[in-house]
Amino acid sequence: MIMTDKIIDLRSDTVTKPSPAMRRAMAEAEVGDDVYIEDPTVNRLQARAAEIFGREAGLFVPSGSMGNLACIMAQAERGQEVICEAAGHVYNYEMASMAALGGVLPRVIPTADGIMTWEQMAPAIREKTYTRPQTALVALENTHNMAGGTVYPTGLAHEICDKAHDAGLKVHLDGARVFNAAVHLGQSVAEITKKFDSVQFCFSKGLGAPVGSMIVGARPLIERCRVIRKMLGGGMRQVGVIAAAALVALEEGPKRLHVDHENAKILAQGLANIPRLVIQPQKIQTNIVIYDVGETGMASSEFLQRLSERKVLGGAVDSRRVRMVTHVDVDWSDIEQALRVIGEVVGKGF
Ligand code: TLP
C-alpha cells in the first residue's frame, strides 16, 4: 500500500489555509467597526472589488450563502419566484434559505451541464396575472459547481440578462468561482458579469482566503443588501482582520487559477485511464472533477472511505459520483499521488 504523511485534500477548494502573505496582512490590518462603516480595510476591499467588476459598490459578507440570500431577498418579494438550475447551489446547498427566510419559491430548470439557455427558462416565467405567483429573478451559477465546474459562454450569459430584463426580471449571478470562469474564458470578470444586476463571489474558494464573500452591484442594491445582511446577523465589527486576507486573495489569487485548471485536467485524464471509472476528461473546464465510480461495484461512500484510509480525500455528489476539486494547497505531484492511490483502490494496481 502506498503511504505518505501528507493528506491530499481534494474535497473542496474551501479547505485551503491562509498563505504567509495573508497571515501577515491579517496581523497588520487596520481595523474599525464595520457596522459603522468605519473599517478601513473592509472599505478598501469593497472599493477594490467594485473597481475590478466595474460596479458602483461592493459589500463584504461572511459567506457565499449569505451573499446569495441577501441578493435574492433584495430582488424578490415574499410570494414571488426565482428561476434557478436544478443542480444549483442556491437550490440544493443553502438550507432552503430563500424559502425559509426570504419567503421566495425556487422554480427549477433541469439541464445536462448546469448551463441554462433562455429557451429553457422562458416557459417557466409566469404570466402576469394576479392568480399566479410572479417571477422576480433569474439566478445563474458560473462556474456551475455540481455540473463539474462548467462555464457559461459569455454571449449566452449576456443574452439571458438582456432577455430577462426585457421581461421585467432581475438577474443574479452566484459567481462563487467566477474568477475560474474568467480564466477559462480568457476574459475579465467585469466583462463576463457586466449585465447582471447582482454578483456574489467568494474569496474562500479558489482565491484561497480563509473566510468571506463579496456582493457587487449598483449602490441602491448594495445599500439594500447591507440592511438584509444586518437582519441575517452578518453585520461584523473589526472584520478588517479577515478582509485583509481577502484583499491578498483578490490581488494574487486569480493569477494562479490556471494551475488548478491544469491539475484538474491531469487528474481527469488519469482517472479516464483507470478501468471502471467513468469520466469525460475533455469536458473539464476549470478546477472541479466529477466522475462515476458505480462500475467499480463500490458506492461513492465506500470508495471515498478507502481513499481516506490512504490519505486522499474527495466528496460524494451522490451514491455513484465523486467530486474532487483542485486548489492552491495541492500540486501536480499530489495529483499524481492521488491517482496512484485511486488506481490501487479500484484494483488496477497502478
Ligand atoms: N460550495 C461548497 C459546498 O457548499 C458544496 C463547496 O465545497 O463547493 N455558491 C457556490 C457555487 C458554491 O460552490 C458555494 C460553496 C457557495 C455558493 C456557498 O459559499 P459558502 O460556503 O461561503 O456559504
Side-chain angles (χ1 to χ4, degrees):
M1 192 193 294
I2 305 153
M3 285 292 221
T4 61
D5 284 339
K6 182 178 175 182
I7 292 175
I8 300 170
D9 192 346
L10 297 165
R11 286 173 300 168
S12 183
D13 48 9
T14 61
V15 302
T16 59
K17 306 277 167 48
S19 66
M22 287 177 193
R23 297 262 191 196
R24 269 196 306 280
M26 294 170 85
E28 291 163 10
E30 259 190 282
V31 295
D33 189 330
D34 184 49
V35 173
Y36 291 97
I37 320 185
E38 284 176 2
D39 187 303
T41 309
V42 173
N43 290 341
R44 202 145 56 84
L45 176 66
Q46 291 172 166
R48 182 71 181 120
E51 181 184 46
I52 289 171
F53 281 76
R55 298 303 181 114
E56 280 175 16
L59 186 74
F60 190 46
V61 286
S63 67
S65 300
M66 190 185 287
N68 285 335
L69 179 59
C71 291
I72 290 171
M73 288 175 70
Q75 297 177 102
E77 289 171 22
R78 299 181 72 79
Q80 293 190 320
E81 288 189 347
V82 175
I83 293 177
C84 51
E85 204 278 329
H89 200 276
V90 291
Y91 183 56
N92 294 284
Y93 295 92
E94 297 186 10
M95 317 313 295
S97 63
M98 76 167 88
L101 305 175
V104 170
L105 195 62
R107 183 78 188 268
V108 298
I109 311 290
T111 68
D113 56 4
I115 306 299
M116 294 188 284
T117 63
W118 176 255
E119 288 67 32
Q120 285 169 316
M121 67 181 77
I125 298 171
R126 297 287 194 175
E127 189 190 338
K128 293 221 178 310
T129 158
Y130 84 96
T131 56
R132 296 297 180 115
Q134 292 295 287
T135 314
L137 182 70
V138 173
L140 308 189
E141 186 174 318
N142 195 17
T143 68
H144 192 295
N145 185 347
M146 290 300 163
T150 48
V151 176
Y152 268 89
T154 303
L156 175 58
H158 288 177
E159 181 200 351
I160 291 170
C161 291
D162 285 341
K163 292 190 169 157
H165 290 150
D166 289 346
L169 311 179
K170 302 283 189 200
V171 194
H172 171 65
L173 178 65
D174 176 355
R177 297 183 180 82
V178 73
F179 282 92
N180 296 84
V183 165
H184 172 74
L185 293 164
Q187 294 175 308
S188 68
V189 288
E191 172 59 25
I192 70 177
T193 65
K194 68 183 181 189
K195 292 187 182 241
F196 289 86
D197 298 284
S198 55
V199 178
Q200 179 280 121
F201 71 92
C202 295
F203 300 109
S204 58
K205 310 273 176 325
L207 302 186
V211 185
S213 290
M214 181 68 65
I215 303 166
V216 291
R219 189 162 303 277
L221 184 268
I222 294 300
E223 291 313 320
R224 177 83 192 113
C225 287
R226 188 189 306 281
V227 172
I228 296 167
R229 182 186 68 174
K230 189 76 175 71
M231 189 193 292
L232 297 173
M236 300 178 284
R237 302 293 178 172
Q238 285 69 22
V239 69
V241 288
I242 57 175
L247 259 170
V248 176
L250 185 59
E251 300 299 350
E252 303 303 325
K255 295 179 195 162
R256 54 153 311 285
L257 290 178
H258 66 280
V259 176
D260 296 344
H261 297 183
E262 283 155 23
N263 285 336
K265 287 196 181 77
I266 293 169
L267 175 62
Q269 192 55 59
L271 292 168
N273 292 336
I274 298 174
R276 296 186 291 283
L277 297 183
V278 178
I279 180 165
Q280 291 176 285
Q282 69 282 6
K283 289 202 167 165
I284 303 301
Q285 295 180 310
T286 57
N287 68 329
I288 300 180
V289 177
I290 294 179
Y291 55 102
D292 191 324
V293 301
E295 287 178 24
T296 66
M298 288 180 270
S300 51
S301 54
E302 186 188 347
F303 174 82
L304 288 166
Q305 174 60 33
R306 293 202 189 174
L307 291 191
S308 75
E309 286 159 10
R310 293 161 174 81
K311 297 188 163 60
V312 173
L313 307 183
V317 176
D318 53 36
S319 64
R320 289 184 69 105
R321 287 181 303 153
V322 165
R323 183 185 77 148
M324 291 186 161
V325 187
T326 56
H327 53 74
V328 62
D329 289 349
V330 289
D331 62 17
W332 173 83
S333 64
D334 296 324
I335 299 298
E336 295 282 295
Q337 169 66 3
L339 284 168
R340 274 193 292 276
V341 167
I342 294 167
E344 192 179 278
V345 163
V346 174
K348 181 181 167 233
F350 224 74

